Amino acid sequence: MKDIKEIISYLKDKGFIYSGSSIYGGLANSWDFGPLGAMLKDNIKNEWKKFFVDKQENIFHLDTGIILNPKVWEASGHVGKFNDPMIDCKECKTRFRADHLIEQEKNIDAENWSFEKQTELIQKDIKCPVCQKQNWTEARAFELMFKTSGSKTSEEETLYLRPETAQGVFINFKNVIDTMNAKIPFGIGQVGKSFRNEVTPGNFIFRTKEFEQLELEFFIKENDSQKYFNLYLDKIKSFLLSLGLNKANIKQEEVDKDSLAHYSKRTVDFEYNFPFGYGELLGIADRGSFDLSNHSNFSNESLEYHDQKNNEKYIPHIIETSMGVERLFLAIISELLKTEQDGETERDVLKLPYTLTPYKASIMPLTNKLEEEANNLFKDLLTKDLGPINFLKGGSIGKRYRKQDAIGTMFCITFDFDSLEDKKVTIRNRDTMIQERIDIANIKTYIEQNAG
Ligand code: ATP
């Protein structure tokens, strides 16, 4: 696995990720996804949606607002409670998340300690890792929700940017039942941006203030919690392997009872062995009936499910899987960007599964003299629903192969002088590097059969 500096410079150089707001001198810890990054991100989201929503018989998809009625965040327990402990070094002014500092310097899990206890240990025993001095503020609450405001008649109203997509799902639970004839057990998935004013964003795109989540809320009867929790544990494992991640780099961590979030009865985190060490990739939680009960109480709307067949009414329980697109993106690149020996030289190759590759194929004229004919073939292939393909001229064919290997393009198709006569092209496979001569008319079928 490459180190994080190599990965960042690779992603910047190739057009996957740019530093945010760079022409204005940047904005700390913000990143923009370039053309290839946007394509890869879309492919990750599509794969998630295919796997968890489209290929399931009882899962629906939603697209709810980023700004919701602020009561939603009172009912969910976020207002006033969604805080992290922040502590500052008075000497060099560096800010830390207190529990992370304790974990990092003393290897103690202090996530559930009171702010006083965290302050006491840090002030007594920890030097600032940046300036080595020991002069700390108190640890104090840092509100994670981003506030904004909207005008309601003549008054300003405090509104929040959602810190998770899940609440939009819970508040539409009844709408989905009423309009889609949904019957328990069923699920609702949502993909979208979430925002958290993290105390210490960092580790590249691992922790940022805005990010995208892939969340699935599965509504069940209480007694079925264990069964569906285990089912989703298995589904998550298959999904992660289908993205090309290696089992050996994935760790499953049962969160101990004392560290559970306020809404959770059980949580299992999946951690990935990133270049900077293990970090949370996703979580699966048994949220019990916490969310629907609270929304029911706060809104005065009954969110009971009426099981007409058995004539019973109850508040469903929820099994949630929640993952971050950027963390999956970083794990996939860390895992699949390889430098391989190719004869006397080396090549960088991004071994993405076909479904994730930004470009499925690249069309190359052997020399610029063949540009027009090769470009006609390219334009024709664009109409064949192969997915994104590109056209690459100039430079030696070997160098062009390398360029495409490095961005994960699965097939390179070379149009040469013989192609004018025999209506064939040479197609080269990214992973095996085997080249075959095939009929132009068969390109689509060949790709479909060899996409892997
Ligand atoms: P962490 O402990 O790393 O802060 P969390 O437990 O608060 O994460 P959840 O609330 O469970 O995270 O969110 C679900 C998923 O959303 C996480 O597993 C992660 O993939 C993603 N995620 C959460 N916060 C961020 C962030 N600031 N930047 C990028 N992705 C994030």
Side-chain angles (χ1 to χ4, degrees), residues 7 32 71 252 256 271 291 315 345 397:
I7 289 176
D32 290 332
K71 286 208 183 98
Q252 206 175 304
D256 41 83
E271 296 189 357
D291 303 284
I315 299 261
T345 56
I397 279 289

Coordinates of all heavy atoms in Angstrom, one line a residue, residues 7 32 71 252 256 271 291 315 345 397:
I7 N -0.4 8.9 -2.3 CA -1.8 8.8 -2.8 C -2.4 10.1 -3.1 O -3.0 10.3 -4.1 CB -2.7 8.0 -1.7 CG1 -2.3 6.5 -1.7 CG2 -4.2 8.1 -2.0 CD1 -2.9 5.7 -0.7
D32 N -12.1 19.3 -3.7 CA -13.0 19.2 -4.8 C -12.7 18.0 -5.6 O -11.5 17.7 -5.8 CB -13.0 20.5 -5.7 CG -13.5 21.7 -5.0 OD1 -14.4 21.5 -4.1 OD2 -13.0 22.8 -5.3
K71 N -37.2 21.2 14.4 CA -37.7 20.3 15.4 C -37.2 18.9 15.2 O -37.1 18.1 16.1 CB -39.3 20.2 15.4 CG -39.9 21.5 16.0 CD -41.3 21.2 16.5 CE -41.9 22.4 17.1 NZ -42.9 23.0 16.1
Q252 N -13.7 -5.8 12.0 CA -15.1 -5.6 12.5 C -15.0 -5.4 14.0 O -14.4 -6.2 14.8 CB -15.8 -6.9 12.3 CG -17.3 -6.8 12.1 CD -17.9 -8.1 11.7 OE1 -17.5 -8.7 10.7 NE2 -18.8 -8.6 12.5
D256 N -18.4 -1.3 22.6 CA -18.9 -1.7 23.9 C -20.1 -0.8 24.4 O -20.2 0.3 24.0 CB -17.8 -2.0 24.9 CG -16.8 -0.9 24.9 OD1 -17.0 0.1 25.5 OD2 -15.8 -1.2 24.2
E271 N -13.8 -1.2 10.3 CA -12.7 -0.3 10.2 C -11.8 -0.8 9.0 O -11.7 -2.0 8.8 CB -11.8 -0.3 11.5 CG -12.6 0.3 12.6 CD -11.8 0.6 13.8 OE1 -10.6 0.2 13.8 OE2 -12.3 1.1 14.8
D291 N -35.9 6.4 17.2 CA -36.2 7.5 16.2 C -37.7 7.7 16.0 O -38.2 8.8 16.1 CB -35.5 7.2 14.9 CG -34.0 7.0 15.1 OD1 -33.3 8.0 15.3 OD2 -33.5 5.8 15.2
I315 N -44.6 0.3 17.1 CA -43.5 1.2 16.5 C -42.4 0.3 16.0 O -41.8 -0.4 16.8 CB -43.0 2.2 17.6 CG1 -44.1 3.1 18.1 CG2 -41.8 3.0 17.0 CD1 -44.2 4.5 17.5
T345 N 10.7 -2.2 -16.7 CA 10.2 -1.0 -16.1 C 9.0 -1.3 -15.1 O 8.6 -2.4 -14.9 CB 9.7 0.0 -17.1 OG1 8.7 -0.6 -17.9 CG2 10.9 0.5 -18.0
I397 N 2.4 4.3 -28.1 CA 1.2 3.5 -27.6 C 1.5 3.0 -26.2 O 0.7 3.1 -25.3 CB 1.0 2.3 -28.6 CG1 0.2 2.8 -29.8 CG2 0.3 1.2 -27.9 CD1 -1.3 3.2 -29.5

